[in-house]
Amino acid sequence: EAGVAQSPRYKIIEKRQSVAFWCNPISGHATLYWYQQILGQGPKLLIQFQNNGVVDDSQLPKDRFSAERLKGVDSTLKIQPAKLEDSAVYLCASSSLLGAGANVLTFGAGSRLTVL
Amino acid sequence: GENVEQHPSTLSVQEGDSAVIKCTYSDSASNYFPWYKQELGKRPQLIIDIRSNVGEKKDQRIAVTLNKTAKHFSLHITETQPEDSAVYFCATWGGGFKTIFGAGTRLFVKA
């Protein structure tokens, strides 16, 4: 099966500029996640979608970050305006709940953001 | 909120030795415990997982143990090889329907 596609792979911007990342999950996966991974840390969940509805966005800095998943397939994550501390890898993942009590995530290659 | 603590943050072993990474969690509703391996510059990939109704699971050189009463679980890698060098993340999933990751353990296997 095709994997999780993300673009762009790398992006360098100045602070206060805006940036958008795109993700195409594995076909048929209902759940889509955006994680932020700062260098040397574990992935931190920003937002989780089930189809095109938001399940959890409690850790999304809503004053500058937004995300949408139109039609329950592709998703975009936007940052506007960017801050230096937003420098990180933004990982998209998708999953299809496998029976009871299991949730295997498949990650994309990530989008590395550098804010100068 | 949910929290997953992982130790140690860095682990260095000699090739052929065993490596153990431990995690504790706070959410008693957690019922699925995956482990992901992330090689340098690559995406995290699932290497083994365990469900709450199982105490131990083994897959070749890797094994995971779970103690639900104590809320901790561990990854065991035996006969380590240089290609095991990577960052390992434990995670939990359960009541909140979201996967929470530990901070990661950087494993170095010296040849």
Side-chain angles (χ1 to χ4, degrees):
Chain A
E1 63 180 4
V4 176
Q6 287 190 247
S7 68
R9 289 294 314 278
Y10 305 93
K11 189 73 177 180
I12 301 174
I13 61 173
E14 301 275 339
K15 59 183 179 183
R16 291 187 290 274
Q17 287 186 324
S18 63
V19 63
F21 302 114
W22 172 84
C23 173
N24 180 244
I26 290 174
S27 178
H29 278 192
T31 311
L32 184 148
Y33 315 77
W34 283 102
Y35 282 88
Q36 180 193 58
Q37 187 174 25
I38 293 173
L39 187 64
Q41 299 182 17
K44 170 189 162 185
L45 181 67
L46 292 177
I47 189 167
Q48 177 176 335
F49 293 95
Q50 180 74 14
N51 296 310
N52 61 351
V54 175
V55 174
D56 188 288
D57 63 356
S58 57
Q59 296 200 84
L60 187 74
K62 298 180 185 64
D63 57 334
R64 299 182 302 104
F65 286 64
S66 65
E68 60 182 9
R69 190 183 184 196
L70 300 176
K71 301 180 182 178
V73 182
D74 293 5
S75 177
T76 55
L77 175 71
K78 297 180 181 178
I79 307 174
Q80 181 180 12
K83 292 185 175 181
L84 297 177
E85 58 260 37
D86 298 332
S87 294
V89 175
Y90 291 86
L91 292 165
C92 179
S94 68
S95 72
S96 176
L97 194 60
L98 303 175
N103 190 42
V104 179
L105 272 62
T106 301
F107 285 90
S111 294
R112 183 179 296 276
L113 174 65
T114 301
V115 183
L116 303 175
Chain B
E2 306 96 334
N3 186 49
V4 178
E5 293 191 2
Q6 183 171 348
H7 300 281
S9 57
T10 305
L11 179 60
S12 183
V13 300
Q14 204 67 38
E15 181 179 2
D17 287 350
S18 295
V20 180
I21 302 170
K22 300 182 179 181
C23 289
T24 59
Y25 60 97
S26 59
D27 185 2
S28 57
S30 298
N31 56 21
Y32 174 65
F33 307 88
W35 286 87
Y36 288 81
K37 175 183 180 182
Q38 187 174 30
E39 297 178 6
L40 189 62
K42 297 190 176 181
R43 72 197 75 185
Q45 293 194 300
L46 180 76
I47 56 170
I48 194 168
D49 55 14
I50 191 167
R51 302 186 188 192
S52 60
N53 59 347
V54 176
E56 184 173 357
K57 183 178 177 181
K58 189 173 182 180
D59 182 5
Q60 299 184 345
R61 296 186 298 107
I62 60 173
V64 58
T65 59
L66 170 65
N67 183 327
K68 281 218 75 177
T69 302
K71 293 184 190 172
H72 68 71
F73 57 113
S74 301
L75 177 72
H76 304 252
I77 306 174
T78 58
E79 301 173 23
T80 53
Q81 301 169 2
E83 53 263 39
D84 294 330
S85 295
V87 179
Y88 293 81
F89 295 99
C90 62
T92 64
W93 182 87
F97 299 105
K98 55 187 179 184
T99 300
I100 307 297
F101 285 85
T105 296
R106 186 172 297 278
L107 174 65
F108 296 97
V109 180
K110 296 176 286 185

